[in-house]
Structure formats: C-alpha cells, structure tokens
Amino acid sequence: MASSFSRFSQTLLLLVVFWGITSSSSNAQLSTDYYSKSCPNLFSTIKFTVHSAIMKEARMGASLLRLFFHDCFVNGCDGSLLLDDTSSFTGEKNAVPNRNSARGFDVIDDIKSAVENVCPGVVSCADILAIAARDSVKTLGGPNWDVKLGRRDARSASQAAANNGIPAPTSNLNRLISRFNALGLSTRDLVALAGAHTIGQARCTSFRAHIYNESNIDLSFAKTKQSNCPRSSGSGDNNLSPLDIQTPTYFDNKYFNNLIGKRGLLHSDQELFNGGSTDSIVRAYSKNPSSFSSDFVTAMIKMGDISPLTGSKGEIRKNCRRVN
C-alpha cells in the first residue's frame, strides 16, 4: 500500500514538473534582452533604416507607429497586418481602417532585409514593428524606452477582425474607452496613446464630417480645413491634413493644446476633450509634457503586451509579407 502510494506520488510529481516546463515554454514572457545574444546588432540595424526613411519623409515616422497600433489591436501584436492576401485568407491591408491609409510596408521590408543579413531567421516581423515604432517616436523628438521582445509571427490574418477591432475616427468616447478597456488598456492609456496624433496626417474622408457637420470645433480651424477638404464625398477624399497643426513632424504635447482649443482634426480626437471623463487628463498632459511622455511609454509597453505569440506558437517569417 505504502509502495503504491509512493509510486503514485512520484508519478504525480513528474507530471507537475512536466506540466510546469511545458506551461512556461508555451507562455514565455517577452523581455528587453531577448535578442542580446542571438542578434546583438539588431537595434542599430533597425535604427539606421528607420532614421533613413524618416529623413527622406518625416511622415513615415507616424506611419510606422500607426502600423504597430493597427497590428496590436487586431488579434494581438503578431505581425498579421503585414501579410498580403492569399488564396486561403483575406488579410488586413484592405480592411476599412487600412485601405489607402496604412503605409510604410516597404520600409518594414527594408528593415527585415537588413536584419536578415545580420541574423537570418531569428527576429520576427512582429518585433520589428515594435522596435520601428519606438525608433520613429525617438527620431521625431519623443521619448525613448526599452522594447520588450520575443513575439513570433502569425500564420494568418483576418480582414473582418481588422474591420471590427480598430476604432474608427468617428468613434465616440464611450466606444473608445470600451475598445481600449477590452484589450487591457485603461482610459489614461487611451488618452496617452491618442497623443501619437502629435505626428502624422489624416485623409479628408476621415475628418470631413467633423469639419462640416459638428459644433465642437473652432470655426476658423474648420474653415481652414475645409479649403483642402471639399464637402462632397468623392472629391478630394485623399487630400491630407496634419493631425497636429502646430508641430506636425515633432513628437510633443501640442496635440492636447489643440484639443483644448477645439482644434482636434478627427471626431475621435475631439471626443477626448468634450465635457467628458477624459477632459482632466487632456488638461494635465497639455500642462505637463513629461507626464504625457511617461504615460505614453507605459501605454506603448502595455499595448505591445497584447496577446503575443510566444514559445512554439507562430513562426519567424523570412518575408514579412507572406508565411514561410
């Protein structure tokens, strides 16, 4: 009896140990030194390519940052946004939030090629997006942070998930808060991440209704924007306007000053300062740029933690546009 119990205990212990090993490997944690040995020149390689791209076109920094956001909000930070359509799935590039809008894929291709030259088959496209986003912010005058790494790449993508997962520029405050909360991001994270609109541009089709039909907007600002965005749909849809009218290619807190002056370009921007629960956060960021920078970094790291593929899940793509 005692012998049988002993054998049972040993078997149970082995099962627990085995479960612990497999569990830890399948739920591997992201870390800032993930590639320190396998790809020691990773950061300098990516930084050079990102910096070169932004020097050619300052807008590219915002475009690369936006790619990371749009990737993470659709089934997690797994590089699925980068996949071209195939016979087996329709990808995310032509989803409503990305069609004629998401850009910078060629820069990601350049980065991937450069990284493959120094450490082939090691670094995921998902991690490249995360690092490129950080480097873009830093290059344009924003804060620096240590990027957590170790993500692997998805083998599929979903246009439907992209259509449903990325908040539209017409979203009201409740919708924005709800969507961010569903991904583990707080209301403060929402406002901080919205501050990324201190750089970049938007298409007329994204802000037309706001500048013609809504009252929570400075009239002179609206008229200025109307000069480059005709009222009629189909006319000038792709005409661009900076999201931050003060310093559109410099990462700072001027975006929040714009909101207080009712000069938010998108409906969803101005919703953050429209008599609601986020007004106080906007005011605080407008007065304290270091507080905004600190909270932005915190929110970016949290966003990068959304449902990554780790361990044996996914793959390390050789080409970011297609599965291996």
Side-chain angles (χ1 to χ4, degrees):
M1 180 75 174
S3 176
S4 297
F5 180 77
S6 176
R7 285 197 298 272
F8 172 76
S9 298
Q10 290 175 352
T11 301
L12 182 61
L13 178 62
L14 287 171
L15 285 172
V16 169
V17 171
F18 176 76
W19 181 87
I21 293 172
T22 56
S23 176
S24 61
S25 64
S26 63
N27 293 293
Q29 298 298 306
L30 304 182
S31 64
T32 56
D33 61 352
Y34 188 83
Y35 297 109
S36 59
K37 294 181 179 179
S38 59
C39 193
N41 295 321
L42 173 63
F43 293 120
S44 58
T45 301
I46 294 181
K47 180 180 178 181
F48 176 81
T49 308
V50 170
H51 186 268
S52 297
I54 294 175
M55 290 304 100
K56 291 178 182 177
E57 182 197 17
R59 182 191 175 200
M60 186 53 67
S63 298
L64 294 174
L65 176 57
R66 187 167 182 258
L67 287 182
F68 184 52
F69 171 77
H70 280 213
D71 183 47
C72 290
F73 262 59
V74 182
N75 297 326
C77 310
D78 60 3
S80 59
L81 171 62
L82 304 174
L83 289 170
D84 291 335
D85 294 351
T86 71
S87 58
S88 59
F89 65 80
T90 302
E92 300 165 25
K93 289 183 177 178
N94 285 310
V96 173
N98 297 325
R99 188 186 311 129
N100 299 321
S101 176
R103 59 196 300 276
F105 298 109
D106 52 340
V107 176
I108 297 299
D109 290 340
D110 291 342
I111 295 172
K112 180 62 172 174
S113 295
V115 170
E116 286 295 303
N117 284 336
V118 295
C119 38
V122 172
V123 182
S124 68
C125 299
D127 277 345
I128 285 174
L129 279 178
I131 300 169
R134 187 273 310 272
D135 288 353
S136 294
V137 170
K138 185 181 178 184
T139 299
L140 292 174
N144 186 28
W145 66 93
D146 293 331
V147 181
K148 292 165 69 174
L149 302 166
R151 302 169 191 82
R152 290 168 64 84
D153 296 321
R155 292 191 176 99
S156 186
S158 171
Q159 186 175 107
N163 282 329
N164 295 324
I166 300 170
T170 55
S171 299
N172 62 28
L173 182 58
N174 287 338
R175 164 63 180 160
L176 292 170
I177 291 174
S178 174
R179 182 59 188 141
F180 276 68
N181 286 176
L183 295 172
L185 298 169
S186 68
T187 300
R188 180 170 290 273
D189 294 329
L190 156 65
V191 181
L193 290 171
H197 284 179
T198 181
I199 54 175
Q201 302 185 60
R203 296 184 301 145
C204 167
T205 186
S206 297
F207 59 85
R208 176 182 281 123
H210 182 51
I211 63 174
Y212 282 104
N213 303 333
E214 298 177 2
S215 59
N216 62 335
I217 186 170
D218 178 79
L219 290 179
S220 62
F221 172 74
K223 288 181 180 179
T224 299
K225 295 305 170 186
Q226 289 169 7
S227 66
N228 191 46
C229 181
R231 181 188 291 271
S232 301
S233 179
S235 177
D237 284 2
N238 293 321
N239 291 355
L240 298 172
S241 185
L243 288 157
D244 175 357
I245 60 171
Q246 298 188 67
T247 53
T249 58
Y250 189 76
F251 196 100
D252 56 23
N253 68 329
K254 295 294 193 296
Y255 166 82
F256 300 105
N257 296 329
N258 295 334
L259 298 187
I260 292 173
K262 294 188 176 183
R263 295 188 298 274
L265 184 63
L266 305 179
H267 172 86
S268 55
D269 287 329
Q270 198 58 57
E271 278 287 290
L272 300 179
F273 192 84
N274 193 35
S277 61
T278 52
D279 283 15
S280 60
I281 305 175
V282 170
R283 282 199 186 94
Y285 288 163
S286 74
K287 297 174 182 176
N288 192 335
S290 62
S291 175
F292 162 55
S293 292
S294 176
D295 285 355
F296 179 79
V297 166
T298 298
M300 284 293 291
I301 293 171
K302 285 177 69 175
M303 185 174 73
D305 282 342
I306 298 175
S307 304
L309 298 176
T310 58
S312 59
K313 299 175 183 176
E315 64 181 15
I316 304 298
R317 273 183 234 143
K318 298 175 182 177
N319 181 328
C320 290
R321 292 176 180 265
R322 58 177 181 265
V323 298
N324 293 340

